[in-house]
Amino acid sequence: MKVVLAGDIDAAEWTAWRAALAAAMPEARWLAVDEAQRAPDDVHAAVVANPPRGCLAPFRHLRLIQSLWAGVDRLLADPTLPAHVPIARMVDPALSAAMAETALWATLSLHRGFFAYQQQQREGLWRQHEQRRAGEVPVLVLGRGEMGRAVAEALQRQGYPVAGWGRDGAPLPPPLAAHEIVVNLLPLTDATRGLLDARFFAAMREGSALVNLGRGGHVVDDHLLAALDGGHLRHAVLDVFHTEPLPRTHRFWTHARVTMLPHAAALTDPRSAATVAAANLRALRDGRPLAHLVDRGRGY
Amino acid sequence: MKVVLAGDIDAAEWTAWRAALAAAMPEARWLAVDEAQRAPDDVHAAVVANPPRGCLAPFRHLRLIQSLWAGVDRLLADPTLPAHVPIARMVDPALSAAMAETALWATLSLHRGFFAYQQQQREGLWRQHEQRRAGEVPVLVLGRGEMGRAVAEALQRQGYPVAGWGRDGAPLPPPLAAHEIVVNLLPLTDATRGLLDARFFAAMREGSALVNLGRGGHVVDDHLLAALDGGHLRHAVLDVFHTEPLPRTHRFWTHARVTMLPHAAALTDPRSAATVAAANLRALRDGRPLAHLVDRGRGY
């Protein structure tokens, strides 16, 4: 099987990916786009990481597009994407575990006041805050997919009362004010874009916090800044942004109530992700059912 | 049973403690030192929180000194302490759980580079770092007591390879260089004072990190600063200090490789600790074995 590799990652990263994929499936031929274009009709699968627009068009015999990333919103936004080729998301337990670590770190930091203590260190201030138990800090996880479940399980193991919510009709999660921390892990679709807006924040509990590990497009930035400035929200931990890298002039960079990560909450690990991709390519070759297929109508 | 309450905590805190103790054991009489001194020979137990030197001397019929704090090094350093009265430490699952939260937060922060990302935010720098799995970050926990065990269990649940070590003869934990993070939860005794010194740091792995949740007296501050300045140690998370509050002129406050907490890693929770203290006082009253007794020779 010939597989074309296409994406906007740099050469060193592609070298690592190609090595991992070749180790996971040595019987396949892994080709860069320019190599694959010499005999495009021999190429039956693509492994992609946000590929440049139109780069898959020459490959008319594709039967699977396997994403290396869990989020496929940028991929699906490409109007040149072949319309009838199945697309598979990356679903990798190692990726979910990394996401759970980040969600747990953010939740512990908010619950136990560690962001506040780090601010106090910069101010030279020695002051203890009230200490509550994990069981007194209810957390709402938006998103019931693989990552949402992994995050919910990690938080529950650590004693937090956790509720989950998926965007399945109701305009807002009903018990929003019952929770002190909201962790977003929704996919970005037409139904979830801009969900985290002024109305959503107003429905959250006074003094609660947002952890956005989904997509920047879920958040209306000006509404979030207003909720933080007004004190209704105590803090936001943000991993994802409308534009990445986030422009230096954006207020999130310097806001005292914002903790930023550079889209690093869960990086795809070539070692495990290559194995997941290879398993799907073998299923394609052997005529077995494909895993983790995207519903283009639903958007994830 | 009449119980004297003695300690260096403020009036509001004592009010909360007295209420919690009275709720846990309504049949006892809980007396401040001045109240208890009116009939000192009727007082058979003391509940203490680092009591002022000499304040227990009038109570010649004491049969138990129950500490509200887990660490008794300051209590034992008081030369006026009645020599033959049993002393009990506070051993409270809620306290161990809080300690485990702090150790987990520190370990996640060091493993996943969250301290570095927060520094990058202050510098306006967008850069992702290599992401490793928890299973690739071995952690050594110094201390095999209740807290050490709770910390080790929480880290193991989250996937970290954890080794434990107690100060039982060997001068240094043998596999020190095998670990990337060292979490100190030892009691402060003559045998452990100054254990974390230049020799210890030199035996730690290049680029590893220290999390001190034990006592300030475990650390030789100048040696730690040298290890951080020289880059042999990557970071230190410090909750405890030789003098508390830490003087504003101390270099820890402003060191880029130091994250400080104001002795807040695990605050004793009156709700659960009062129940633990009451159980021991009832055991005393009923002639049953006392729990969590301090070995004065050992120092904890």
Side-chain angles (χ1 to χ4, degrees):
Chain A
M1 178 185 287
K2 288 185 179 174
V3 185
V4 61
L5 299 168
D8 64 353
I9 56 181
D10 66 27
E13 279 185 276
W14 267 131
T15 302
W17 274 108
R18 203 161 166 162
L21 289 163
M25 194 173 176
E27 70 273 28
R29 289 193 56 199
W30 305 92
L31 305 170
V33 173
D34 53 351
E35 295 170 309
Q37 277 178 327
R38 289 174 207 153
D41 291 355
D42 293 351
V43 176
H44 290 124
V47 167
V48 304
N50 289 331
R53 285 196 173 190
C55 82
L56 296 181
F59 306 105
R60 288 164 299 178
H61 293 176
L62 281 186
R63 290 188 289 134
L64 173 62
I65 299 170
Q66 170 68 54
S67 175
L68 293 177
W69 302 161
V72 290
D73 44 292
R74 277 179 62 194
L75 183 64
L76 295 181
D78 179 353
T80 75
L81 202 68
H84 300 292
V85 181
I87 298 171
R89 294 180 299 127
M90 177 51 58
V91 175
D92 174 0
L95 192 65
S96 302
M99 193 62 92
E101 288 169 355
T102 303
L104 186 54
W105 160 78
T107 300
L108 287 166
S109 297
L110 292 164
H111 156 216
R112 292 293 307 277
F114 295 128
F115 293 133
Y117 285 136
Q118 288 174 271
Q119 181 61 33
Q120 284 184 203
Q121 181 181 353
R122 289 191 286 277
E123 295 168 357
L125 186 62
W126 180 283
R127 188 169 62 206
Q128 296 174 342
H129 300 280
E130 189 196 4
Q131 176 186 295
R132 288 173 308 149
R133 302 180 190 177
E136 297 168 325
V137 181
V139 181
L140 176 66
V141 177
L142 304 180
R144 291 181 183 276
E146 294 78 9
M147 295 220 191
R149 279 200 297 271
V151 165
E153 284 169 15
L155 294 174
Q156 278 169 332
R157 270 202 310 272
Q158 202 51 39
Y160 294 99
V162 178
W165 180 79
R167 179 84 200 229
D168 45 14
L172 288 182
L176 206 43
H179 296 92
E180 176 152 333
I181 299 172
V182 174
V183 180
N184 177 42
L185 287 157
L186 289 165
L188 184 64
T189 68
D190 290 343
T192 65
R193 194 178 309 277
L195 176 74
L196 304 175
D197 62 0
R199 188 174 65 143
F200 189 99
F201 299 135
M204 284 174 67
R205 182 190 290 186
E206 175 82 25
S208 63
L210 174 70
V211 180
N212 188 19
L213 309 178
R215 282 286 183 262
H218 287 125
V219 174
V220 181
D221 287 1
D222 288 344
H223 295 186
L224 176 57
L225 285 165
L228 292 166
D229 289 339
H232 182 69
L233 292 194
R234 178 164 59 98
H235 206 89
V237 180
L238 306 175
D239 182 53
V240 286
F241 306 91
H242 284 272
T243 304
E244 296 178 4
L246 185 70
R248 274 299 281 122
T249 53
H250 199 292
R251 283 188 61 207
F252 286 156
W253 277 107
T254 53
H255 201 291
R257 294 174 185 266
V258 171
T259 298
M260 272 178 59
L261 299 176
H263 201 142
L267 305 180
T268 304
D269 182 331
R271 294 169 296 179
S272 51
T275 306
V276 173
N280 230 9
L281 293 169
R282 287 203 181 93
L284 175 71
R285 180 192 65 193
D286 301 342
R288 287 180 283 113
L290 300 172
H292 317 312
L293 291 183
V294 170
D295 176 336
R296 293 205 197 186
R298 200 177 56 171
Y300 63 94
Chain B
M1 179 185 287
K2 289 186 180 175
V3 185
V4 61
L5 299 168
D8 64 351
I9 57 181
D10 66 27
E13 278 186 276
W14 266 130
T15 302
W17 275 108
R18 203 161 165 162
L21 290 162
M25 195 174 175
E27 70 272 29
R29 289 192 56 197
W30 305 93
L31 305 169
V33 173
D34 52 351
E35 295 170 309
Q37 277 178 327
R38 291 173 207 151
D41 290 355
D42 294 350
V43 175
H44 291 124
V47 167
V48 304
N50 289 331
R53 284 194 174 192
C55 81
L56 295 181
F59 307 104
R60 287 164 300 179
H61 293 176
L62 282 185
R63 290 190 288 133
L64 173 63
I65 298 170
Q66 170 68 53
S67 175
L68 293 177
W69 301 163
V72 291
D73 44 292
R74 277 179 61 194
L75 183 64
L76 295 181
D78 179 355
T80 75
L81 202 69
H84 300 293
V85 181
I87 297 171
R89 294 181 299 128
M90 176 52 57
V91 175
D92 174 0
L95 191 66
S96 301
M99 193 62 93
E101 289 168 355
T102 302
L104 186 54
W105 159 79
T107 301
L108 286 166
S109 298
L110 292 163
H111 156 215
R112 291 294 307 277
F114 294 129
F115 293 133
Y117 284 136
Q118 289 173 269
Q119 180 62 34
Q120 285 184 203
Q121 180 180 355
R122 289 191 286 279
E123 294 168 358
L125 187 62
W126 179 283
R127 189 169 62 205
Q128 296 173 344
H129 300 281
E130 187 196 5
Q131 176 186 295
R132 287 171 309 149
R133 302 180 192 177
E136 298 168 325
V137 181
V139 182
L140 176 65
V141 176
L142 305 180
R144 292 181 183 276
E146 293 78 9
M147 296 221 191
R149 279 200 298 270
V151 165
E153 284 168 15
L155 294 173
Q156 278 169 333
R157 270 202 311 272
Q158 201 51 40
Y160 294 99
V162 177
W165 180 80
R167 181 85 199 228
D168 45 13
L172 288 182
L176 205 42
H179 295 92
E180 176 151 336
I181 299 172
V182 174
V183 181
N184 177 41
L185 286 156
L186 289 165
L188 184 63
T189 68
D190 289 344
T192 65
R193 194 179 310 276
L195 175 74
L196 305 175
D197 62 0
R199 187 174 64 143
F200 189 99
F201 300 136
M204 284 174 66
R205 182 189 289 186
E206 175 82 25
S208 62
L210 174 70
V211 179
N212 188 18
L213 309 177
R215 282 286 185 259
H218 288 125
V219 174
V220 181
D221 287 1
D222 287 344
H223 295 186
L224 176 56
L225 286 165
L228 291 166
D229 289 339
H232 183 67
L233 292 195
R234 177 163 60 97
H235 205 89
V237 179
L238 307 175
D239 182 53
V240 285
F241 305 91
H242 284 271
T243 304
E244 297 178 4
L246 185 68
R248 274 298 280 122
T249 53
H250 198 292
R251 283 188 62 207
F252 286 156
W253 277 107
T254 54
H255 201 292
R257 294 174 185 264
V258 171
T259 298
M260 272 179 59
L261 298 176
H263 201 143
L267 305 180
T268 304
D269 183 331
R271 294 170 295 180
S272 52
T275 305
V276 173
N280 229 10
L281 293 170
R282 286 204 181 92
L284 174 70
R285 180 192 65 193
D286 301 341
R288 287 180 282 115
L290 299 172
H292 317 310
L293 291 183
V294 170
D295 176 337
R296 295 205 197 185
R298 200 176 55 169
Y300 64 95

